[in-house]
Amino acid sequence: MIKAAAVLTVFTGVSAASIDRAIAQATEIIYSTFLDPNNANDPRAAAQTKMIQAFESKHPDIKIKLLVDPTGATVTRAVKSRSDTPDVIRVVSFGLAEYAATGNLVPLNDLVKKDGISEDDWLLPLLTGQIDGKLYALPQDFRIPILTYRKSALQEAGVAPPKTWEEVCAAGTKFKQPNVNGFAVPLGATGGIGGAQSLAEFFLSTMLVGSDGRYFAPDGKIAFSKENFVRASTTIKDLFTKCKVTSLRSAQMGINEVHDGLRSGTIAMTNYGLYRFKTLQAQGAGEDLGWAPAPSYTESDKQTVYSYTIALNRQSKKQDAAWTFMKFVISPEAQAIAAEGGEVVSRKSAYTSPYLQSDVAKNQKQWAELVSQRGRAVSYSPILSTFHTILGEAFQRMMLRDESPENAYAEVVKRYDEALTKAQ
């Protein structure tokens, strides 16, 4: 419900009856999000609440109601069943192709052009997020894998944060503590949105695309080459075997187990999500937690980035009000508020705000520069969770049964093609 204080700010000098009528006549927009406003421990949720309050103060005729859906399962069912709610859908960009394939998202190209929304005032150009030539969502933030490490563990081993996979391999013999995993390579499925998300998000979505940036084709078929797959899987297998920089324990790890290992110090370093960095610090890692650009084959390789985006439900009966809210959410004003929660917000002009100019936001500014300099958007599969599951199982078999990278490639392609055909 619109807060009276917010309404009074707009209706100063107006009668109480007029205020009551404005509240009663307000258009209610349902906005899906994974951020629970009741979670007092998540600064991103507090920033979201503050942003919505700012919007309702400016637009007292529109009220925002949250659909809190941490896994996205409820929204996925709603979109596939052609429900008219939620009106505004918050969806991770690597899941956007699946939603767009339903035909129930509004292409935004014409709306963006009509309202003069800049295509260049973003860490990455807005249209790089198109699917088959259509813009189905607007990015709220950008996320790029980073090397996350415990400073004391690297110092004890005499290891500098590695910049390349060759340097990661060379560090293997230097970690002597029996209970410390030098460089975790998670192949498990916990903590993500289906399948071995941590393996794909932090490693393979960059390693498989290579220099040409091809991940999936517009029709959902695999676009990365066999050569890139074999190189990536050989690299990862070597980290377990020849390099001895990781252990088979990490073959069962997912996002949650890696988080716990970094927090407790049983993992010295790994590629991880920048969105977990502040939480890890607060949960015990403190100033012992460091970060650097994620290792790659060369120090200048591009890294795949993704976003949390907002999309407009084609079935919504309140599209005008929903679009008004969406425009505010990606405005520099709202982005500056969202940044207070720790996100690497997407609009360049938001970085002139007082918060983002402060020392508290030092990491966020540096991550934003990393996204702009080395970030790259790629096209994803419309059955990405299934692909992640297939990947994780093939890589686990490759490690536990000593299968070859070529066999893993054949398994992934065969199972994925069968799943894609079944889904169409």
Side-chain angles (χ1 to χ4, degrees):
M1 180 175 292
I2 296 179
K3 294 177 173 55
V7 177
L8 286 169
T9 300
V10 178
F11 289 100
T12 302
V14 181
S15 69
S18 297
I19 294 172
D20 290 340
R21 283 196 297 273
I23 294 174
Q25 295 169 3
T27 300
E28 183 178 81
I29 297 300
I30 297 178
Y31 172 43
S32 70
T33 176
F34 70 92
L35 295 172
D36 184 349
N38 297 313
N39 185 353
N41 296 320
D42 191 340
R44 298 173 301 174
Q48 175 181 261
T49 298
K50 183 177 178 181
M51 179 190 69
I52 290 172
Q53 289 173 342
F55 172 80
E56 290 179 339
S57 293
K58 288 178 175 291
H59 300 275
D61 56 332
I62 302 174
K63 179 168 71 75
I64 305 304
K65 180 179 179 180
L66 295 182
L67 169 61
V68 180
D69 184 23
T71 67
T74 300
V75 174
T76 298
R77 287 194 298 270
V79 173
K80 290 183 176 180
S81 65
R82 304 179 70 84
S83 171
D84 60 2
T85 59
D87 304 282
V88 178
I89 300 165
R90 192 176 197 202
V91 55
V92 65
S93 62
F94 55 67
L96 188 60
E98 181 178 357
Y99 283 29
T102 68
N104 287 324
L105 298 184
V106 176
L108 304 176
N109 303 69
D110 290 343
L111 289 171
V112 165
K113 184 176 181 180
K114 177 177 71 70
D115 287 331
I117 296 174
S118 170
E119 295 180 3
D120 300 315
D121 183 31
W122 309 81
L123 299 184
L124 294 179
L126 182 62
L127 297 185
T128 61
Q130 293 189 121
I131 298 173
D132 200 16
K134 294 181 179 179
L135 184 69
Y136 287 103
L138 303 172
Q140 293 177 280
D141 56 55
F142 284 106
R143 299 177 173 200
I144 189 168
I146 57 174
L147 178 77
T148 304
Y149 61 90
R150 295 298 296 257
K151 297 175 185 177
S152 58
L154 266 62
Q155 183 177 13
E156 182 175 342
V159 172
K163 298 178 181 178
T164 65
W165 292 120
E166 184 177 2
E167 291 179 3
V168 173
C169 183
T173 59
K174 299 179 181 180
F175 289 99
K176 305 296 185 182
Q177 291 178 280
N179 295 322
V180 174
N181 192 327
F183 187 97
V185 183
L187 309 183
T190 62
I193 306 175
Q197 182 187 324
S198 52
L199 173 66
E201 177 185 340
F202 307 136
F203 294 82
L204 294 181
S205 64
T206 290
M207 297 170 79
L208 294 184
V209 301
S211 60
D212 60 10
R214 290 172 56 81
Y215 202 20
F216 289 91
D219 61 3
K221 293 183 178 179
I222 286 173
F224 54 81
S225 68
K226 179 179 179 179
E227 178 185 4
N228 285 346
F229 185 96
V230 170
R231 180 178 70 164
S233 52
T234 300
T235 299
I236 287 177
K237 188 173 184 180
D238 284 348
L239 296 180
F240 284 91
T241 55
K242 182 178 73 174
C243 308
K244 292 183 172 56
V245 72
T246 192
S247 71
L248 285 176
R249 289 195 303 272
S250 69
Q252 303 299 326
M253 291 181 179
I255 291 176
N256 291 345
E257 290 82 5
V258 172
H259 182 104
D260 290 341
L262 287 168
R263 175 185 54 78
S264 64
T266 57
I267 291 175
M269 58 178 172
T270 188
N271 284 4
Y272 206 52
L274 54 82
Y275 48 88
R276 294 278 188 116
F277 193 87
K278 290 183 73 173
T279 304
L280 285 165
Q281 284 185 315
Q283 291 180 344
E287 292 304 311
D288 191 45
L289 197 70
W291 74 273
S296 51
Y297 288 105
T298 74
E299 294 183 23
S300 60
D301 283 356
K302 293 289 186 180
Q303 296 278 350
T304 292
V305 305
Y306 72 94
S307 307
Y308 264 92
T309 69
I310 45 173
L312 179 56
N313 186 349
R314 186 187 288 273
Q315 308 305 323
S316 169
K317 295 179 173 60
K318 306 166 186 176
Q319 289 190 13
D320 288 345
W323 176 241
T324 298
F325 176 62
M326 289 175 64
K327 287 189 294 184
F328 178 80
V329 168
I330 55 88
S331 69
E333 174 189 354
Q335 289 266 285
I337 296 172
E340 295 175 15
E343 298 284 13
V344 179
V345 293
S346 56
R347 295 295 291 268
K348 288 181 181 178
S349 52
Y351 286 83
T352 61
S353 70
Y355 170 80
L356 283 166
Q357 289 294 311
S358 69
D359 288 341
V360 177
K362 179 181 177 181
N363 282 336
Q364 287 167 263
K365 288 185 291 184
Q366 291 178 340
W367 292 334
E369 292 171 3
L370 187 63
V371 169
S372 294
Q373 293 168 5
R374 293 184 59 184
R376 173 175 58 194
V378 300
S379 297
Y380 292 95
S381 164
I383 55 167
L384 195 68
S385 295
T386 300
F387 175 68
H388 287 172
T389 298
I390 293 169
L391 270 184
E393 291 174 356
F395 271 73
Q396 284 184 335
R397 269 189 282 274
M398 181 179 69
M399 293 311 311
L400 300 177
R401 299 181 184 177
D402 196 24
E403 296 280 356
S404 70
E406 289 79 7
N407 285 351
Y409 175 77
E411 175 186 344
V412 168
V413 170
K414 181 178 183 294
R415 290 183 62 192
Y416 178 79
D417 285 348
E418 290 172 350
L420 184 64
T421 299
K422 185 177 179 180
Q424 291 174 336

